[in-house]
Amino acid sequence: MGAFHSRPDENDIRHLADKTGFSVEQVEILHRRFKQLSRDEDTLQREHLYGIPDLECNPIRTQIVAAFFDKRNFDKDSPQGTVQEIGFEQFLTVMSHFRPLKLRMTEEQREQLRLEKLQFLFNMYDLDNDGKISLEEYRHVVYELLSQNPQIGNESAAIADAAMLEAATICMGQMEPDQVYEGITFQDFLKMWTGIDIETKMHVRFLKMDNTTLCK
Amino acid sequence: MYSVHEESPAVLTTDVFFLYLLPPIVLDAGYFMPTRLFFENCGTVLWFSVVGTLWNSIGIGISLFGICQIEAFGIQDINLQENLLFGTIISTVDPVAVLAVFEEININEQLYIVVFGESLYNDAITVALYSLFKYISQMDQVDSIDIFLGTADFFVVGFGGIMFGLLFGFVAAFTTRFTANTRELEPVFVFMYSYLAYLLAELFSLSSIMAIVTCALTMKYYVEENVSQRSCTTIRHFLKMWSSVSETLIFFFLGVTTVTSKHEWNWAYIGFTLIFCIVWRGLGVLVLAQIINNFRTIPFTFKDQFSMAYGGLRGAICFSLAFLLPDTFPRRNLFTTAAVAVIIFTVFIQGITIRPLIDYLNVRRTNRKLMTINVEIHSRAMEHTIAGIEDLCGQWSHYYWKDKFKKINDRFLRKVLIKDNRPQSSIVSLYKKLELQNALVLLDSNGGISGAPSLTSLQEQKPTKRETFLPEEVWSMQELLSKNMYKIRERTLTYTRHSLPNETRTKEILLRRHSTIRKSMRKAGTWQTPAAAKYYSLPPTVQNLQPRLRLRKYSLTGDDDGDDDIASEINFPPARPRLQLRAKEPRRALQPPRNKLETVNEVRTDSRRTPMVDYENRGGSAMSENSKGRGTGTKRALTPMRQFGLFNEQGLKNKEKEDQMEMEEFRQEALLAAISEKDANIALLELSSSKKKKTQDEVTSLKREKDRLVQQLKQQTQNRMKLMADNYEDDHLKSHSDQTNHKPSPDQIIPPLLDLNQNRSKLKLYIGHLTALCQDRDPKILQGIAPPTSYHHDDRAAWEEELQKMSLEQLEAELEKCEKESAELQEYANTVLQQIADHCPDILEQVVNALEESS
């Protein structure tokens, strides 16, 4: 954060680009979008994001918006709690979780990227930041996911239960009867994603072209 | 040989090929195109199929023309148009073998869809180019305006075809909305409209292939929701079969042609054709991939590109097009020969080597098989997140368009085109599919069902006991379960022109009959139902699951308190409540078990026993808090279970025994249901996709599980028999003790004795039926098993008279004797039944009748 919010200079942009892995053009485009969203303010607030018309019909809108204000996703020093407003750097850092894979990457980098992306997803579920997706949290997400279909509202809890049960079976194997599965930890989460190449799926194409004018 | 040469190949004419053989092949490809993947990679697919085909055709055509200019080869008479035409013919790829390999090894989706889509669309493009070049090559002189017109025509034809396809796709979807009463006609509509689209497009000289492919793509989604499960299966199978028949026929022709027709072998031309095919394909993929990689988020690696290039097999369509060149064509035979040579080379050499090559290259693979509900949820959440982020940063990609399409689809299309408009989330459908499997797995994994070996089973255990059934045995059991028992009903079915016999009804009859038999057996075993509250065995599960089960209304009892109590406390086995969900597919597939659950499962429950059921059925992986609370209860309830094997009649309270009995019954039913479910699942899997090896593996494993269940059921039945006998004994022991305490009058002993006698005579009657049946069928069945002595003397009236005169001690002795005899008879009946089941399962239906009569 700094003075560059109103008019980012070359160095700041380059610095940000290096830090987040975006290209300079992309940073500029995203900055323009940031400005557009925040109505030329230096910081972005939740209301700004809720105001995006395209986002209106997204069932997990709340989680998405919350992810931007979640310290876990951008603040490495004190990864806890939420903030009320974010600056451009934070905005960019959150966005950087959705960078596509590069053609030439070592296995290690890929793995790292995968972990980051999954951590981001995990954080979206884990609302209370205790490192576990509890049943309640899971139900909440499933409920939201299915909230567009009014007819199946009741089933969402069942689905979440089933999913949880499945998670328990996948992660713990056979459990003792009095053993309680408290929630999905990040390790379990990783286990569930084994074999599914999220790194090729979880990405946004950040165009080099500016089309912010087209957006509402 | 000569006569073959005269007549046979002539069968394949242009009309036959284009009107009858080609449509099924492309319809099949269009219908089974993975829609979602296709639209995600739409650009790339079109890029490779359109530009790639053009590239190949023109490249091969022109380079062959270059070869023709060399005097030494003696093929100078082939002009440019003809070469281009041949280039077009030879650039139709048909990678059936490659796709099969890709599918088997779960290659990454992007590669798969590109090869698939390419094979689909390049048919359309080749055919269009083919007509264009055929037309041009027959002209004496080619103007530039002709080429221009041809190119324009190319696009008009393509888009016209797409329009027709869309139109008929929607019409077909709309039609199937109203076919609920004529389910048997549903597949006809699908085929008819696709074919209509094809023919009409042909009539207007538009691209008929585009039309039929688009039609199939459009209608698939809606039609599959509208039609019944059976029609859906029929459509799929029929399409697959039809296209296989077409392809096989074409390959027949190819074989015949290879052997019989006049070949014109020109080493240079054919050799260079082969070389150019490989070179241009390789180059094309390389160049096109370099260009498209700039626009793709997941670029094609060199390995991908190599697999793509190597997967360019030529097939049926290539041959047909070459073979169908008009006879007036000067070098027709050369072209046919060259095409056959290329096809044989690519199919045999490339087709065989591609698998090891891909393995060697270690091309990136995707795990497409493993779909858990978690993954589905997470993927959906991720998609939504991405769409959201895209909205946030103002970027549009296919997620954006997907969102938009989904909105339109939900708002308009689905309302018009789908009968039962309930927006279905893929999570829900997957959930429903998975929980079936889950239920089975859980039911299966609870060692409890057959955990404690019963006394009987221990005694009867032979040293060389087979673990699994032979396939024939399984087959006979399936037959036995599904067919034989309701043959009578089937005979009376009326025949109508357009409908199929409704098997579900007969199945229900079967189930009902089964339940009556069961009841009668219970009666026979003097097993009195206590006045305790009765529940259907499927009360609601944990609190939150309650509303989704519509079961409470089935509860027989007015005792609301107990009901609620149980409802909140009990976690029922997932297998059964879940069946109540309104799952579209599984429900249909599972008609039998569901019926069974509704008709048969009248079981008394009590709160002590049920947690045990729950515990066992959940496979011990219960995770909610209440499972913890139940722990102790579970263990307590489990003890009698464990003791069951070493049955201690003194130590068991009557209550517990009843519980046990119900437990047994419950388990038996659960097993029955599980077996039916397995059957249904197997059927589902077998129907859904026959091609994949993975599915087949799954089917085999399911079958194995089923076999195990069947065995468990056998054991369970034995257990129950034993338990019933024991219970019976016990009842009388109790009466003994009563006696010692306060001297019962003979009148108190006589009624049970009479009961017992009645039961015994029933058994005798039953055995009589059985043996008569066996004698009718095959006397050998009864060899080596002699009826107990008690079977023969039967003089009821005299016995009853005698009874009145007997003293107390005599009565007691008589009672014991009766019991023993009953047990013997029971044993014998069981043996006979077993023999029948082993030797001639087909008369089991009659056995069932006999059972009913005797009760």
Side-chain angles (χ1 to χ4, degrees):
Chain A
M1 289 184 271
F4 64 85
H5 281 297
S6 46
R7 190 170 294 278
D9 64 38
E10 284 289 304
N11 281 334
D12 283 327
I13 287 182
R14 192 150 300 133
H15 170 69
L16 278 178
D18 286 346
K19 202 172 157 192
T20 55
F22 285 112
S23 73
V24 174
E25 295 96 329
Q26 282 169 336
V27 174
E28 275 171 3
I29 290 165
L30 284 174
H31 185 256
R32 240 167 281 157
R33 177 66 177 166
F34 180 81
K35 283 281 154 196
Q36 192 190 13
L37 287 177
S38 65
R39 302 202 183 79
D40 260 343
E41 298 290 318
D42 279 351
T43 55
L44 200 59
Q45 287 166 9
R46 280 164 203 265
E47 290 72 46
H48 293 139
L49 295 187
Y50 281 122
I52 302 169
D54 285 333
L55 208 57
E56 207 108 288
C57 54
N58 201 312
I60 51 168
R61 184 161 71 125
T62 0
Q63 266 93 343
I64 296 172
V65 173
F68 275 89
F69 297 92
D70 195 328
K71 273 189 167 179
R72 283 176 290 176
N73 290 330
F74 53 80
D75 199 341
K76 286 203 170 60
D77 302 326
S78 61
Q80 251 176 24
T82 55
V83 288
Q84 284 312 308
E85 45 181 35
I86 51 165
F88 180 59
E89 193 179 338
Q90 284 89 338
F91 180 74
L92 210 59
T93 318
V94 176
M95 282 288 182
S96 72
H97 287 107
F98 292 91
R99 258 176 311 143
L101 214 61
K102 288 209 185 71
L103 188 51
R104 282 176 247 302
M105 271 181 119
T106 61
E107 278 303 309
E108 258 172 52
Q109 279 170 314
R110 271 169 189 269
E111 197 48 44
Q112 184 58 33
L113 199 69
R114 180 186 167 85
L115 279 182
E116 273 174 30
K117 282 174 193 275
L118 284 174
Q119 185 71 55
F120 183 86
L121 263 189
F122 184 80
N123 288 348
M124 281 181 60
Y125 290 97
D126 183 19
L127 300 173
D128 58 3
N129 191 23
D130 61 351
K132 273 184 190 127
I133 303 171
S134 70
L135 185 59
E136 285 307 316
E137 287 164 341
Y138 212 172
R139 273 190 199 156
H140 180 64
V141 173
V142 175
Y143 176 77
E144 300 237 303
L145 271 178
L146 299 174
S147 57
Q148 281 172 333
N149 307 6
Q151 289 92 339
I152 52 170
N154 284 332
E155 277 171 28
S156 67
I159 292 176
D161 290 356
M164 202 68 175
L165 194 61
E166 188 189 77
T169 352
I170 292 174
C171 306
M172 311 287 289
Q174 286 293 347
M175 300 202 314
E176 295 303 311
D178 48 356
Q179 203 175 338
V180 175
Y181 189 64
E182 279 162 354
I184 303 168
T185 63
F186 187 61
Q187 290 308 315
D188 297 347
F189 195 69
L190 286 183
K191 222 184 265 177
M192 268 182 281
W193 280 99
T194 321
I196 294 150
D197 44 352
I198 182 157
E199 57 270 27
T200 62
K201 283 187 180 145
M202 186 169 154
H203 58 72
V204 173
R205 287 194 57 199
F206 294 98
L207 302 178
K208 298 195 175 72
M209 182 184 70
D210 184 12
N211 58 358
T212 38
T213 44
L214 295 169
C215 301
K216 282 162 275 183
Chain B
M1 207 55 158
Y2 188 69
S3 63
V4 174
H5 171 63
E6 282 274 274
E7 296 295 330
S8 171
V11 176
L12 183 62
T13 60
T14 321
D15 279 351
V16 170
F17 176 71
F18 281 105
L19 294 185
Y20 308 118
L21 293 178
L22 186 58
I25 299 177
V26 282
L27 180 61
D28 169 74
Y31 194 82
F32 289 100
M33 163 87 82
T35 325
R36 181 169 167 176
L37 258 184
F38 172 71
F39 283 111
E40 278 176 15
N41 296 280
C42 183
T44 318
V45 169
L46 287 179
W47 173 254
F48 273 104
S49 52
V50 178
V51 184
T53 311
L54 282 174
W55 166 287
N56 276 334
S57 315
I58 294 169
I60 295 172
I62 289 177
S63 17
L64 277 178
F65 181 64
I67 295 302
C68 289
Q69 301 315 305
I70 300 171
E71 238 170 89
F73 299 143
I75 37 173
Q76 276 153 302
D77 57 322
I78 307 175
N79 62 22
L80 181 62
Q81 295 97 303
E82 283 165 354
N83 269 320
L84 280 175
L85 178 59
F86 182 65
T88 313
I89 292 169
I90 212 72
S91 57
T92 341
V93 292
D94 186 8
V96 189
V98 180
L99 286 176
V101 169
F102 280 4
E103 219 160 288
E104 195 177 316
I105 59 174
N106 285 327
I107 202 121
N108 66 72
E109 292 167 337
Q110 287 78 25
L111 189 54
Y112 178 81
I113 195 66
V114 166
V115 174
F116 189 104
E118 188 191 4
S119 76
L120 181 60
Y121 280 102
N122 95 0
D123 289 351
I125 286 141
T126 324
V127 171
L129 274 182
Y130 176 74
S131 350
L132 178 68
F133 283 134
K134 200 162 103 182
Y135 176 68
I136 289 177
S137 67
Q138 281 163 341
M139 289 197 300
D140 298 327
Q141 209 180 348
V142 185
D143 292 332
S144 56
I145 187 79
D146 287 327
I147 293 169
F148 174 76
L149 279 179
T151 322
D153 188 50
F154 186 76
F155 286 102
V156 172
V157 161
F159 280 106
I162 292 176
M163 285 301 139
F164 260 98
L166 278 175
L167 177 69
F168 280 97
F170 284 126
V171 171
F174 191 64
T175 314
T176 50
R177 203 189 149 162
F178 304 104
T179 52
N181 294 325
T182 49
R183 290 288 189 202
E184 291 75 22
L185 293 182
E186 280 165 347
V188 179
F189 284 117
V190 171
F191 305 131
M192 194 187 75
Y193 279 118
S194 329
Y195 197 45
L196 199 60
Y198 185 85
L199 287 183
L200 274 182
E202 189 78 45
L203 190 72
F204 288 101
S205 16
L206 300 173
S207 170
S208 39
I209 297 181
M210 283 311 249
I212 198 169
V213 164
T214 323
C215 182
L217 259 179
T218 319
M219 77 164 100
K220 181 189 178 190
Y221 172 76
Y222 304 103
V223 163
E224 292 209 337
E225 285 213 24
N226 276 336
V227 302
S228 70
Q229 176 66 36
R230 261 176 223 209
S231 307
C232 186
T233 314
T234 313
I235 293 168
R236 285 162 173 237
H237 270 228
F238 198 81
L239 278 179
K240 278 278 169 229
M241 190 196 72
W242 209 7
S243 78
S244 313
V245 167
S246 285
E247 257 166 33
T248 317
L249 276 179
I250 294 175
F251 273 100
F252 279 169
F253 288 127
L254 183 132
V256 172
T257 316
T258 317
V259 179
T260 57
S261 69
K262 276 185 211 150
H263 288 291
E264 186 184 341
W265 188 265
N266 184 313
W267 274 107
Y269 197 76
I270 292 166
F272 276 109
T273 306
L274 201 55
I275 293 168
F276 287 139
C277 275
I278 295 166
V279 168
W280 281 101
R281 171 122 185 128
L283 269 181
V285 169
L286 209 64
V287 172
L288 294 180
Q290 289 317 312
I291 297 170
I292 200 79
N293 265 353
N294 294 325
F295 299 94
R296 285 182 64 85
T297 32
I298 314 153
F300 289 111
T301 61
F302 282 108
K303 286 174 184 173
D304 290 343
Q305 290 169 28
F306 177 79
S307 325
M308 233 187 288
Y310 202 77
L313 309 189
R314 268 68 170 175
I317 292 174
C318 171
F319 166 73
S320 313
L321 291 179
F323 188 78
L324 292 174
L325 285 173
D327 285 332
T328 52
F329 226 75
R331 289 287 191 142
R332 178 174 173 272
N333 285 342
L334 178 63
F335 287 164
T336 317
T337 311
V340 169
V342 171
I343 291 168
I344 289 177
F345 177 82
T346 53
V347 167
F348 282 98
I349 312 244
Q350 280 172 249
I352 288 171
T353 49
I354 191 148
R355 173 77 198 258
L357 260 176
I358 286 178
D359 279 340
Y360 175 73
L361 283 177
N362 198 12
V363 181
R364 190 166 61 83
R365 298 173 190 198
T366 320
N367 199 346
R368 275 185 292 133
K369 182 202 73 180
L370 190 90
M371 270 314 254
T372 61
I373 193 146
N374 278 293
V375 169
E376 181 71 22
I377 289 175
H378 297 328
S379 321
R380 295 283 286 190
M382 189 181 69
E383 263 173 38
H384 284 302
T385 315
I386 291 167
I389 298 284
E390 276 175 2
D391 289 338
L392 263 171
C393 57
Q395 308 283 345
W396 293 341
S397 74
H398 61 258
Y399 287 106
Y400 174 83
W401 293 110
K402 198 186 152 191
D403 243 33
K404 282 273 173 290
F405 172 73
K406 203 172 168 302
K407 239 191 275 175
I408 297 174
N409 189 31
D410 282 348
R411 230 175 256 170
F412 309 108
L413 293 179
R414 285 186 63 99
K415 279 194 185 134
V416 180
L417 298 177
I418 288 180
K419 182 174 55 196
D420 185 16
N421 186 18
R422 256 178 292 128
Q424 275 241 337
S425 164
S426 65
I427 300 180
V428 180
S429 50
L430 183 81
Y431 164 69
K432 282 165 182 171
K433 214 164 71 192
L434 281 175
E435 66 183 1
L436 259 176
Q437 287 171 9
N438 253 356
L440 295 175
V441 169
L442 288 175
L443 198 88
D444 211 18
S445 65
N446 67 33
I449 273 197
S450 66
S454 71
L455 209 56
T456 346
S457 70
L458 279 178
Q459 280 166 351
E460 283 182 4
Q461 206 153 34
K462 290 159 202 153
T464 53
K465 201 174 176 187
R466 263 205 314 259
E467 273 297 298
T468 51
F469 286 111
L470 294 175
E472 301 91 85
E473 282 176 304
V474 176
W475 172 240
S476 74
M477 258 184 223
Q478 266 173 342
E479 281 248 314
L480 181 154
L481 279 169
S482 64
K483 281 211 189 100
N484 285 314
M485 295 176 111
Y486 51 91
K487 221 180 249 165
I488 293 177
R489 265 32 175 218
E490 256 181 11
R491 241 180 267 143
T492 58
L493 281 171
T494 49
Y495 172 79
T496 49
R497 175 83 171 75
H498 287 300
S499 63
L500 294 164
N502 191 354
E503 277 172 39
T504 47
R505 205 182 305 150
T506 41
K507 259 188 187 143
E508 201 174 345
I509 292 168
L510 170 77
L511 291 166
R512 280 182 196 284
R513 192 188 276 192
H514 172 78
S515 88
T516 48
I517 293 166
R518 225 168 30 73
K519 272 183 205 146
S520 70
M521 274 168 76
R522 189 193 302 179
K523 239 185 278 159
T526 63
W527 183 24
Q528 273 141 26
T529 325
K534 271 186 162 187
Y535 302 95
Y536 271 86
S537 62
L538 303 177
T541 57
V542 261
Q543 320 79 310
N544 48 66
L545 306 186
Q546 232 178 50
R548 79 194 166 94
L549 296 165
R550 287 142 193 87
L551 274 162
R552 298 198 42 165
K553 57 175 180 245
Y554 295 129
S555 171
L556 277 184
T557 175
D559 181 3
D560 272 333
D561 272 351
D563 200 16
D564 279 342
D565 202 349
I566 285 163
S568 56
E569 194 179 342
I570 296 165
N571 238 335
F572 252 77
R576 328 175 95 225
R578 280 171 187 179
L579 288 172
Q580 294 295 326
L581 292 179
R582 274 190 278 141
K584 205 156 192 163
E585 287 204 3
R587 185 191 58 193
R588 285 189 184 124
L590 279 172
Q591 209 69 15
R594 207 177 60 112
N595 281 341
K596 179 181 290 163
L597 293 179
E598 278 170 6
T599 54
V600 180
N601 284 327
E602 189 191 310
V603 176
R604 287 160 298 145
T605 64
D606 87 8
S607 50
R608 198 148 41 120
R609 193 204 73 210
T610 336
M612 175 164 58
V613 179
D614 165 50
Y615 158 67
E616 282 171 2
N617 279 292
R618 290 202 133 194
S621 52
M623 44 78 200
S624 54
E625 264 74 22
N626 36 6
S627 85
K628 208 173 186 179
R630 281 198 313 267
T632 46
T634 305
K635 270 170 198 155
R636 192 154 22 96
L638 207 61
T639 349
M641 229 15 258
R642 294 279 175 248
Q643 285 177 352
F644 177 49
L646 344 143
F647 199 70
N648 177 1
E649 44 198 69
Q650 305 297 331
L652 285 177
K653 294 248 156 60
N654 212 16
K655 180 82 184 136
E656 273 173 349
K657 221 163 38 196
E658 264 168 27
D659 289 352
Q660 233 181 48
M661 203 102 113
E662 277 160 30
M663 188 64 222
E664 295 293 308
E665 190 184 356
F666 191 83
R667 282 173 172 181
Q668 202 171 5
E669 272 164 21
L671 276 172
L672 268 175
I675 290 170
S676 322
E677 277 166 29
K678 288 264 188 253
D679 268 338
N681 245 20
I682 290 169
L684 243 178
L685 276 174
E686 275 175 349
L687 295 181
S688 61
S689 47
S690 50
K691 220 162 93 184
K692 293 175 195 156
K693 193 170 165 285
K694 291 264 147 54
T695 333
Q696 280 167 5
D697 289 348
E698 217 171 309
V699 169
T700 353
S701 77
L702 267 178
K703 277 186 177 155
R704 221 174 296 126
E705 280 163 26
K706 206 195 81 184
D707 295 348
R708 214 166 57 233
L709 283 175
V710 170
Q711 199 143 23
Q712 283 183 5
L713 182 66
K714 263 183 151 182
Q715 208 179 16
Q716 193 62 32
T717 320
Q718 284 175 353
N719 284 1
R720 244 188 91 201
M721 288 293 186
K722 170 81 181 148
L723 191 63
M724 272 158 77
D726 288 344
N727 198 30
Y728 187 77
E729 234 168 77
D730 214 47
D731 279 350
H732 291 283
L733 275 175
K734 210 170 133 203
S735 64
H736 268 275
S737 60
D738 284 350
Q739 251 171 357
T740 47
N741 286 344
H742 35 263
K743 277 279 183 189
S745 67
D747 301 32
Q748 270 175 307
I749 301 183
I750 285 173
L753 244 179
L754 286 177
D755 261 359
L756 199 57
N757 190 44
Q758 207 188 342
N759 182 27
R760 198 171 49 171
S761 40
K762 259 186 203 169
L763 267 173
K764 280 180 191 170
L765 198 65
Y766 176 36
I767 291 170
H769 273 290
L770 280 183
T771 40
L773 273 171
C774 294
Q775 295 291 354
D776 279 353
R777 162 81 194 203
D778 187 3
K780 271 185 215 155
I781 298 173
L782 293 174
Q783 256 175 15
I785 31 172
T789 45
S790 55
Y791 177 61
H792 295 296
H793 48 78
D794 188 13
D795 190 3
R796 196 169 163 176
W799 181 75
E800 271 178 31
E801 252 172 59
E802 244 177 69
L803 218 57
Q804 300 296 335
K805 296 173 204 157
M806 279 187 206
S807 71
L808 208 63
E809 281 76 17
Q810 274 175 319
L811 275 175
E812 273 177 30
E814 193 63 32
L815 199 67
E816 258 178 45
K817 195 180 134 212
C818 274
E819 274 169 24
K820 224 180 89 195
E821 278 176 21
S822 286
E824 272 171 11
L825 284 171
Q826 187 92 42
E827 196 67 42
Y828 178 64
N830 283 347
T831 329
V832 173
L833 212 54
Q834 185 64 45
Q835 288 288 325
I836 290 174
D838 284 352
H839 290 100
C840 42
D842 47 322
I843 59 166
L844 238 113
E845 183 204 15
Q846 289 165 306
V847 174
V848 171
N849 282 333
L851 248 175
E852 258 179 351
E853 275 170 46
S854 66
S855 63

